[in-house]
Amino acid sequence: MGERLMDELFVGKSFARMDKDKVIGRANFINDITLPRMLHAKILYSARPHARIKSIDTSKAEKLMGVRAVLTGFNVPEVKVGFLGDQTPLKKDKVRQFRDEVAAVAAIDEDTAEEALDLIKVEYEDLPAVYDPIEAMKPDAPLVHEFDARGKPRRNNLLPLPWKLEAGDVRKARESSKYVVKDRFSTQWVHQTCMGTSGGIAEFDVNGNLIFRSVTNVPFGGKDRLDMFLKNLGLKGRSRVLTPYVGGSFGSKLDTDIYEFILVLLAWKTGCPVKIVFSRKEEFLASPPRQPVIATVEQGCDSNGRLTFRNIDMILDNGAYTSWGATTPSVMMIPVSSLYRVPNVKFQATCVYTNNIYAQAMRGYGNPQATFVIEQSMDQLAEASGIDAIEFRKINANVPYEKTPMDLKITTCPMSECLEIVEKRLNWSEKRNQKTSRGVGVASFLHVGGGARVYLSDAQGIIMKVDDEGKVTVITGGTDQGQGSETIIKQMVAEATGFRPEDVSIFQGDTEVCPWDVGTHASRHAFITGHAVLLAGADVKRKVLDLAARWMPEMIRFDLSKRARKDPNFQVPLLDFSPLMDTNNLELRNAEVFLKDDPENKHFRLPVAKILRRAHLVGTGKGEMVVAEAFYDPPNEMLNREGKGNLSCCYTFGAHGVEVEVDEETGLVTILNYVAAHDVGRAINPMLVKGQIYGATVMGCGYALTEEIQTNHGRVMNPNLLDYKILTAKDKIPIDPVIVEPIEPSGPFGAKGIGEPACVPSAPAIVNAIYDAVGVRIKDLPVTPEKLLKAIKEKKAKEQ
Amino acid sequence: MKRSISFSVNGDTVQVEVHPHWNLLRVLREELELTGAKQGCGEGECGACTVLVNGLPINSCIYPIMEVEGKDVLTIEGLASRDGALHPVQEAFLEKAGVQCGFCTPGMIMSAKALLDANPDPDEEEIRQALAGNMCRCTGYIQIIESVKHAAALLSSIEQEA
């Protein structure tokens, strides 16, 4: 499957994007959908970071004209949600953070719902709060949760998720190391900041089934959680998830969010469709971002610069409740154990409840934090051992077909090649160690590239329906968040079936119709969909050729005799039809069936649409049509109790190299050159692959330099796009994307996943470059001008 | 108290009953059902709501509706020709992958159109300046800039043919 087919027509080419509706204003996002009788919801959030709710008075809000329902924890069943079951949609006993949902209103329009919120009076009794995870770990810290989901008393703020991984003997390795470095690093809260904010529409049909229009990128996981919620509410219906266009996700739509359960409650109580779309402020305050970590890293190497051990301890601020953020250590383990060859590894991560906002998934899922700390430590160790930073990485680079301490089975691995590309294109040897306010830095990464078995299934189902007009409808459970799957699916289907991209249409976004898929996450979509397409596509092709073998001789004879009837000068040629009757002799390409060994034979070539129509409309009661299906579940493994296992079918590698200039008067960092070398297995569509590299790299640069959710006693202080600084068109980053294609044997058409990785190495590469430029290392993200200027001044003061 | 105002949208004259405190985006989306322009922030920061008023790009989410009286509004829905043929800017955004999730796209395309109307051959800095008020989280802007350059080339070749 991984072999490159030299005569591929569609895969490997930069087809233009095919989502035309987005450029004409006809792409419907949640925001754009209005249903008959639809009500609008608003949520009242907590005014305290940690407090008992003494009373909630909703009487005035209920009386406001146009209000249809006012819900609190006191008038709905108490149903726990979230994967640790540590919250209810509407809070009753106490609030644990400013984003706690205290009441919800459904009204005839947004203005009325907003007005009703102002009329709700909540009385709180303040409790001592804790905002620092280190403080929260102390024995006398205030308890964020007094009881766990089962009602068992809790004694501390630690989550019952003891993330650990150990391989080899770190203690012994440390003793035998020639050089050892140890340091502490920390990262900040950052927000996915999708351009489309969160939202949804819930309604119940006449049979009591829930129809939920959702921005989720895991429709079937979302459906499971909604079904469970209905069951726990005592409702008999089942749910159906519809996914319209999503205005970006970057991980933020992986879990079913609290507002979605609230919409269900409001739709249930009112009997009407209920819609919510978050304001931008609400998006920053009440949608869960990427969590910060505090990491202690120790690494050692021998006299030749070979890594001997790595020991990392992480503390994650979990916030007040638990979403997927708490599971990111499972992905951190990948770089911790397997970024570069390191025989002895120890990793521990502790998630701690605080009265802060809580975290979700975000592009890279823990990998950016882990790689940030590892790659700075790598630079420190290179310096300690007196080896050039790129040379040091090459000495320790991962190699093809190695098995790592985490039991990851690496297949293709062009890591050294990527490092060499960075070295060459950045003009490394000339630019390094110049100490002229300009400097260069590098960081590598590895990430899952062939799905990730984080659930019992990592599968996707696909159905291909071929109609009598020669059109292929692909019905898939996968969803798109903008990466361009509608374009590459058409390319891959055309390649696999022998039809053309313009013959293919895609139907997705309806759990009632589409076959199951685990969701668009872990950079898995192109990889898994590609395999499902290859399986179903081969079946389509086989079935079409079977029809062709049975119908083509008769059809060609008929056409020839028809022509002879019309044209007396036409002599019907004497043809041997027997080769046509064996499917093995036939080929289907570009929507035409012809003889494999005689493609120039103009008599034996028919448009596939014609054959399908003939086979369908036979007039005898024996018509046939072509439908194929596949359910592809990759041969990867779940992690075992020790945190080991081959999580993905393959892993993707790369290196980013950055040249920066630091203004020592202002602390401002300018990126002069940025080389992003990426192993993608094989680019299905090089232009779209570059789109992923560009977008994720710029996101990574924001992580490094500008982005930070600032909190003060648990309150988000910058919930707007003016103060939360994502990069804009004015922030020019001259990215040179280099696509490396080792053709992955386990990948569909040789491809690996590429959605996440480019945001992984940006921050350490930039921080390493800043160190090369001015000799100061910023260990706490982001590298704001203030921080950098302070560090430069401190360094200068020390030197004097 | 609602008031009646009249203006042109995509070449059609419309008369709408509005509250004077409403903004143009609300009227476009909710009263006229032109949902192409998006609300990304409601504060004039992200540019997803960009439309052209008398040819100039504005953030319609903070543009007071009473200011629109008698003016010409062009939205993304009015950019393609009536027979459905895409405007070169729209075509270029597909060809050069200036589109990903599509939420910023209508605003981005309208800002690009306004730029190219005023400056048919912008350099990269001029494009970056013109799009500074249109945020995008997917693309990192690079393929958007390539799209605008490509649109400029398409427009200039159309002009040469004419």
Side-chain angles (χ1 to χ4, degrees), chain A residues 545-561:
Chain A
L545 292 180
D546 178 53
L547 291 176
R550 286 187 280 131
W551 286 102
M552 270 176 89
E554 182 194 316
M555 290 171 73
I556 293 166
R557 271 195 207 105
F558 180 81
D559 283 352
L560 289 172
S561 59

Side-chain angles (χ1 to χ4, degrees), chain A residues 10-68:
Chain A
F10 309 110
V11 161
K13 299 191 168 60
S14 290
F15 274 78
R17 288 191 66 112
M18 298 178 192
D19 35 3
K20 184 179 166 187
D21 45 356
K22 289 178 182 168
V23 300
I24 58 173
R26 295 259 303 266
N28 282 335
F29 296 80
I30 278 286
N31 319 48
D32 308 322
I33 299 169
T34 304
L35 300 176
R37 302 184 306 120
M38 191 175 83
L39 302 173
H40 297 263
K42 289 278 176 192
I43 295 168
L44 181 71
Y45 298 97
S46 171
R48 299 285 192 280
H50 196 193
R52 293 220 174 276
I53 298 175
K54 287 179 75 181
S55 67
I56 307 177
D57 180 2
T58 57
S59 55
K60 280 188 184 161
E62 282 161 26
K63 284 178 199 137
L64 183 70
M65 198 164 71
V67 170
R68 294 288 181 267

